Amino acid sequence: MTPAELPPSLHIDAARARVRLSPADPAFFQDPYPAYRAIRRSCPLFLWEDYGHLCAADAATVDALFRDRRFGREAPGRPPPPERVKPFHDLDALSMLEREPPAHTRLRRLVTRAFVFRAVERLRPRIERVVDALLDALPDRGTVDLLPAYAEPIPVVVIAELLGVPAADAPHLLDWSHRMVAMYRPGRTRADEDAAVAATLAFSAYLRDHLAERRARPREDLLTLLATAPEGEITPDEAVANAALLLNAGHEATVHAIGNAVAAVLGSGLDPAALFATPALTAATVEEALRFEPPLHLFTRTCLEPARVAGTAFRPGDRVGLLIGAANRDPARWAAPDGFDPARAPAPHLGFGGGIHFCLGAPLARLELEVALPRLFARRPGLRSADAPRFADRYHFRGLDALRVTLG
């Protein structure tokens, strides 16, 4: 690694285990991996000054923190948010992602039945039809951006149908989701906050209408499951919050995962026909793509009780960032981790997190990738990159801003 490869904003104080690194530095969000390598070698558990809390960059510590029940998402004593963003935080705080047991256990148990393998596998024919229709709509030749043409529609249509909202409402769902997840972006503006609050209110009203309709006329869908749960399993406000979570999380990360995977395959020089020759090879390629370019790079936890991890003492209320993107390239777990190699010896990656907050939608995301990728490359064997993939300025999400390809 040469200094020229490192982001200009990176400064590592190894002796004090402190790092300055702007998440908005284009050299970083376009390619964070040189910075991750330098940090991991110098101080794998460090204070990221730009965020103001500790972060872990090695696989062992990130894995341990995901599973350590002394760390969670709820933060006792956290100051209330400003009044102007209260509607967003009120909704967010009721989602299972932000809760700890027993509330987390109660909510997750209710929703899990819709995401078990057998339930998800029943969606395969529908996903195949969605994918084939999108491929049919691509032009025969020329250049196209595969994000809006392919990667974005698949997850939003699938998760909309799973929950039971019209797929025709996908543009609204995408718009609301994009505006809401901007709240997690570092350096967000007042305009971002106002847009997120407006999206939260609109999305909540939309979901309340659908949940009320399901209480009156139940169907075979996830909204009905939330709307008609026995008393004590979920409140009306929790139903809205968790429906919003499932819609947002069910497509936002999968869009990035599909786009990142296509870019990884095209950039690898490997033969797609060989990568997707069998279901087993397809599954291995999907797992390697999720390791190589995970759609989420930073997930925060809060210390709930005194703890000591990797030689560092934590007090209740201390926050710690789990750098999934750095952990997934740790040479202590994977040989030559910066190479895309679906044939490598399998080792569990951290792309879906871990512990009680392990991604509920992992089986569905895997299925969508296992359908979308081989069908794309089988139908378009001459597919190639039209220009270098361009990643969006929205760290800690890792997703492309555009994926321009030449069809052939």
Side-chain angles (χ1 to χ4, degrees), residues 41 229 234 303:
R41 289 170 180 169
I234 192 168
C303 184

Side-chain angles (χ1 to χ4, degrees), residues 132-157:
D132 287 342
L134 291 168
L135 290 171
D136 289 343
L138 291 178
D140 292 334
R141 299 190 177 279
T143 299
V144 66
D145 183 351
L146 276 185
L147 288 187
Y150 194 66
E152 287 182 357
I154 297 168
V156 72
V157 169

Side-chain angles (χ1 to χ4, degrees), residues 270-295:
L270 301 173
D271 178 11
L275 295 180
F276 302 111
T278 68
L281 291 171
T282 294
T285 302
V286 166
E287 294 307 305
E288 175 66 353
L290 290 165
R291 179 202 71 83
F292 185 74
E293 283 287 13

Side-chain angles (χ1 to χ4, degrees), residues 287-306:
E287 294 307 305
E288 175 66 353
L290 290 165
R291 179 202 71 83
F292 185 74
E293 283 287 13
L296 180 66
H297 273 216
L298 173 63
F299 188 77
T300 57
R301 307 296 290 273
T302 300
C303 184
L304 305 177
E305 60 183 84

Side-chain angles (χ1 to χ4, degrees), residues 234-368:
I234 192 168
T235 69
D237 287 342
E238 286 173 337
V240 172
N242 285 283
L245 168 69
L246 293 168
L247 277 165
N248 287 346
H251 79 271
E252 191 79 31
T254 310
V255 169
H256 302 326
I258 293 172
N260 294 355
V262 172
V265 170
L266 291 175
S268 71
L270 301 173
D271 178 11
L275 295 180
F276 302 111
T278 68
L281 291 171
T282 294
T285 302
V286 166
E287 294 307 305
E288 175 66 353
L290 290 165
R291 179 202 71 83
F292 185 74
E293 283 287 13
L296 180 66
H297 273 216
L298 173 63
F299 188 77
T300 57
R301 307 296 290 273
T302 300
C303 184
L304 305 177
E305 60 183 84
R308 192 168 189 84
V309 177
T312 298
F314 289 85
R315 297 172 299 177
D318 288 347
R319 298 184 76 197
V320 59
L322 282 57
L323 295 179
I324 296 169
N328 272 1
R329 299 280 189 107
D330 188 345
R333 180 167 290 189
W334 294 277
D338 292 312
F340 181 75
D341 180 13
R344 69 171 66 252
H349 64 77
L350 296 162
F352 291 120
I356 67 169
H357 290 292
F358 182 83
C359 178
L360 182 67
L364 179 57
R366 285 183 165 118
L367 177 59
E368 290 175 279

